[in-house]
Amino acid sequence: GTFDFLYTKSINQFYLTDANLQGIIGNLAGEAGRPLYGTFAAGRYTPSRISAKFGPAVEHMNKSSDKSVSFTWELKKQIGDRFTFDAAYTYSKTKDLFSLTSSIATSNLGFEPLDGTLANRNLTTSAFDFPHVIKVSGTVRAWWGVSVSLFYIGQSGSPFTYVISGDANGDGQGNDIVYVPKDSADISLQTPSQWGTLNKFISSQSCLNNQRGRIKERNTCRNPFEHFLNARLAKTFNTWSGQSLDLTLDIINLPNLINKNWGLIRQTSGFDDQTMLRLAGFDGVANRNVYSLSLPPTNKVQINPSRWQMQAGLRYTF
């Protein structure tokens, strides 16, 4: 049995902002004071830029807030010369200001959900946070020297954030997190009769329902827990002078091979953001944006990750 503890603290970690914005020029009081970096006119926001000759000027800097902690317990056991068993559980928590998911600076700035202000984002759950991971494997030497192995991995679903399609704060980016309304009077809908549909959607998910009356915190929604079961058949043929030939057959997603309705991977969002509302205008009386619905299907089966796969391998050792 083993136990591992790991704590990580970032001393110099990438942080990005737009240096060609004048800064916060106002707020939307009707959306929990969402900071504004531009003005609304002619059906859209126009960023208030220092120089109108240029678009975003991505400034790179370092900040030191990111951190993570993890605990791992593992048990291994060999029974005779025929059976081995390994089981491990990891609990972890990872928080960051910026989950860097692209190799391109403009993509990182434009697609990372904005929690807080451009200059001071809030330290919240990272897109790379998987708090629970379970791994169990076993190998048995069966008939005719063939080894049969099973590998199970269970892990928390990936976190994601519900966002608005369109630039809702005037910074020139489309990465604004939704404001979760308390009731029908707390949001301006392009079609007010759709409140019932929106309210039902919010009530069906605790990550939204528990945050009514505020701009949702980044990455507090999560896809369903995921289960993976793979198998391997292996046979070694001894040749000469200590050399050998290994044949292997790997079956990935064994349950789906047995039954097409098993081993299915379900997700609401395949990335770290998911559109929920669409910017449709501005309500000058309530000092807030007007939205239309763009609700996604929840827990939808992902076709490619759910398919079973099989691969054969050959290795000669000398």
Side-chain angles (χ1 to χ4, degrees):
T2 60
F3 170 75
D4 291 277
F5 167 74
L6 178 64
Y7 174 76
T8 303
K9 182 72 169 67
S10 295
I11 304 301
N12 292 296
Q13 175 64 6
F14 269 131
Y15 188 89
L16 307 174
T17 189
D18 186 351
N20 194 27
L21 287 172
Q22 293 183 7
I24 299 172
I25 62 172
N27 65 74
L28 293 177
E31 293 187 9
R34 185 192 302 276
L36 287 179
Y37 296 87
T39 55
F40 191 89
R44 65 184 182 90
Y45 279 98
T46 300
S48 297
R49 299 207 173 276
I50 297 172
S51 172
K53 296 181 180 180
F54 302 96
V58 183
E59 180 181 359
H60 294 63
M61 63 184 71
N62 290 322
K63 291 203 174 186
S64 58
S65 297
D66 298 5
K67 59 184 178 181
S68 68
V69 61
S70 69
F71 304 85
T72 299
W73 295 264
E74 184 175 17
L75 293 173
K76 293 183 178 182
K77 179 67 176 177
Q78 178 157 343
I79 303 173
D81 60 354
R82 283 188 169 271
F83 182 74
T84 58
F85 174 81
D86 190 345
Y89 167 72
T90 299
Y91 171 79
S92 62
K93 190 64 180 175
T94 304
K95 291 190 173 186
D96 59 24
L97 302 175
F98 227 110
S99 296
L100 301 169
T101 57
S102 174
S103 60
I104 303 173
T106 52
S107 295
N108 282 316
L109 178 64
F111 293 108
E112 177 64 14
L114 177 59
D115 192 321
T117 66
L118 285 171
N120 293 291
R121 293 172 181 254
N122 295 322
L123 182 68
T124 57
T125 301
S126 170
F128 308 108
D129 179 63
F130 296 87
H132 304 286
V133 178
I134 303 168
K135 296 181 180 181
V136 180
S137 64
T139 299
V140 60
R141 292 178 60 85
W143 305 276
W144 308 296
V146 176
S147 296
V148 180
S149 302
L150 289 176
F151 307 90
Y152 167 78
I153 299 176
Q155 67 180 27
S156 301
S158 56
F160 67 92
T161 306
Y162 282 112
V163 297
I164 300 159
S165 176
D167 181 10
N169 70 344
D171 65 353
Q173 308 294 342
N175 59 351
D176 302 302
I177 303 176
V178 298
Y179 171 80
V180 188
K182 294 176 286 187
D183 50 40
S184 60
D186 199 29
I187 187 172
S188 296
L189 291 175
Q190 187 178 40
T191 307
S193 60
Q194 292 182 331
W195 164 250
T197 301
L198 176 59
N199 188 50
K200 183 179 179 180
F201 184 85
I202 294 172
S203 298
S204 69
Q205 300 180 67
S206 60
C207 65
L208 292 172
N209 198 46
N210 294 339
Q211 300 188 67
R212 288 182 184 262
R214 58 165 292 179
I215 296 174
K216 179 188 169 297
E217 184 179 315
R218 182 178 68 112
N219 288 336
T220 46
C221 290
R222 194 172 288 275
N223 288 307
F225 200 89
E226 297 177 342
H227 303 272
F228 305 92
L229 181 63
N230 304 326
R232 164 172 278 205
L233 302 178
K235 169 67 176 177
T236 298
F237 297 91
N238 295 319
T239 54
W240 58 84
S241 302
Q243 302 177 29
S244 62
L245 175 68
D246 299 327
L247 300 179
T248 59
L249 178 67
D250 292 295
I251 303 172
I252 302 169
N253 198 358
L254 177 63
N256 190 247
L257 174 63
I258 299 172
N259 187 315
K260 66 179 183 179
N261 296 316
W262 296 352
L264 302 180
I265 303 300
R266 299 180 181 273
Q267 292 182 339
T268 297
S269 175
F271 201 55
D272 62 346
D273 61 358
Q274 176 60 56
T275 299
M276 176 177 152
L277 299 173
R278 189 178 301 276
L279 182 65
F282 184 78
D283 184 346
V285 175
N287 189 28
R288 63 194 183 196
N289 293 322
V290 177
Y291 298 106
S292 61
L293 301 190
S294 185
L295 305 179
T298 58
N299 300 341
K300 182 180 179 181
V301 174
Q302 304 299 299
I303 301 299
N304 288 334
S306 298
R307 286 194 175 111
W308 66 268
Q309 302 174 62
M310 189 178 294
Q311 63 181 17
L314 183 151
R315 179 178 65 184
Y316 190 79
T317 304
F318 58 92

